[in-house]
């Protein structure tokens, strides 16, 4: 390239502005799951009795990256979607269920709590939402808007809890608590390539659980790879693929 050609090339780069950063490749080690369409309406009532939930693939490979001692209670999750919302269900097995925080955006992770962190654009996982729910159904939600301010609330977010046991009673043995969540897709407006997603679209997300007054553990679907408990580690989020195929649910 001659000197004039180099000058012209430099001027072209300057006129175009800085080139966009390429998306980081998705790590091979993170877990993956398909999100299938519902086979019918979902009533967010904490009771996972719809045929769609029974047919949805189970996510049960939760890990304990920061385990020290105590029981490793089982966690199960399911994911579904329709044109309106992403649905998440948790079953958290726990002999001692506890929660005391009742106000929106209280520090619910100090209670028995399940959490969903979502980066809807795989090109930049640093832009993510977190939704946290304790065993009372109290919500903490944060978005990339307004510097992740607590003043933001996800309009239309729905959650319901069912407890199989006695909340905040340590002298008896509980069984489990279920959480049923619906996050409207318009929550992600401005941060997702397409809403609703299309068949084959990929999002990054992680599913977490903490708990509570007895046997505190930090549990995660995708290992964040951090030395100490840290859920705000989007580079370690798992991958979900949206599928137009509805779950093969038996009729009611």
């Amino acid at each position: 390239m001659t000197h004039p050609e180099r000058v012209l090339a430099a001027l072209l780069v300057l006129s175009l502005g800085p080139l966009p950063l390429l998306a980081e490749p998705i790590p091979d080690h993170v877990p993956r799951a398909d999100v299938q369409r519902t086979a019918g309406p979902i009533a967010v009532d904490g009771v996972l009795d719809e045929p769609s939930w029974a047919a949805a693939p189970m996510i049960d490979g939760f890990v304990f990256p920061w385990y020290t001692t105590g029981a490793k209670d089982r966690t199960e999750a399911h994911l579904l979607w329709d044109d309106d919302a992403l649905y998440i269900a948790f079953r958290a097995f726990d002999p001692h269920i506890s929660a005391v925080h009742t106000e929106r955006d209280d520090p619910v992770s100090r209670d028995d709590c399940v959490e969903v962190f979502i980066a809807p654009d795989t090109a930049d996982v640093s832009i993510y939402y977190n939704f946290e729910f304790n065993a009372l159904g109290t919500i903490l939600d944060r978005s990339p808007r307004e510097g992740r301010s607590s003043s933001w609330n996800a309009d239309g977010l729905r959650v319901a809890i069912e407890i199989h046991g006695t909340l905040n009673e340590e002298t008896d043995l509980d069984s489990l608590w279920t959480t049923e969540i619906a996050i409207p897709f318009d929550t992600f407006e401005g941060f997702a390539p397409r809403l609703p997603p299309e068949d084959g679209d990929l999002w990054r997300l992680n599913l977490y659980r903490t708990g509570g007054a007895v046997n505190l553990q930090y549990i995660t679907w995708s290992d964040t790879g951090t030395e100490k408990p840290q859920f705000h580690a989007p580079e370690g989020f798992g991958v979900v693929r949206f599928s137009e195929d509805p779950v093969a649910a038996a009729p009611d």
Side-chain angles (χ1 to χ4, degrees), residues 185-236:
F185 279 124
D186 60 14
T187 301
F188 306 104
E189 190 70 47
F191 294 101
R194 279 177 293 275
L195 294 174
E198 295 181 0
D199 185 53
D201 280 358
L202 302 180
W203 285 18
R204 301 285 300 276
L205 64 76
N206 214 348
L207 306 170
Y208 301 109
R209 176 182 169 192
T210 61
V214 177
N215 190 39
L216 173 63
Q217 300 287 351
Y218 300 96
I219 307 164
T220 178
W221 175 46
S222 182
D223 189 343
T224 63
T226 58
E227 182 178 354
K228 296 180 180 180
Q230 176 57 267
F231 291 175
H232 293 266
E235 63 280 358

Side-chain angles (χ1 to χ4, degrees), residues 95-158:
H96 299 289
I97 305 168
S98 61
V100 297
H101 293 92
T102 60
E103 298 296 324
R104 185 78 171 239
D105 293 322
D106 272 354
V108 295
S109 62
R110 299 176 187 174
D111 295 330
D112 274 306
C113 176
V114 293
E115 308 184 17
V116 186
F117 283 43
I118 300 174
D121 188 347
T122 59
D124 190 351
V125 294
S126 69
I127 299 174
Y128 66 93
Y129 295 72
N130 59 293
F131 306 93
E132 307 174 15
F133 312 90
N134 72 4
L136 288 168
T138 306
I139 300 168
L140 181 149
D141 48 357
R142 297 283 190 272
S143 88
R145 296 172 172 84
E146 302 174 4
R148 306 184 64 79
S149 168
S150 62
S151 64
W152 177 84
N153 290 329
D155 293 335
L157 175 66
R158 291 174 286 154

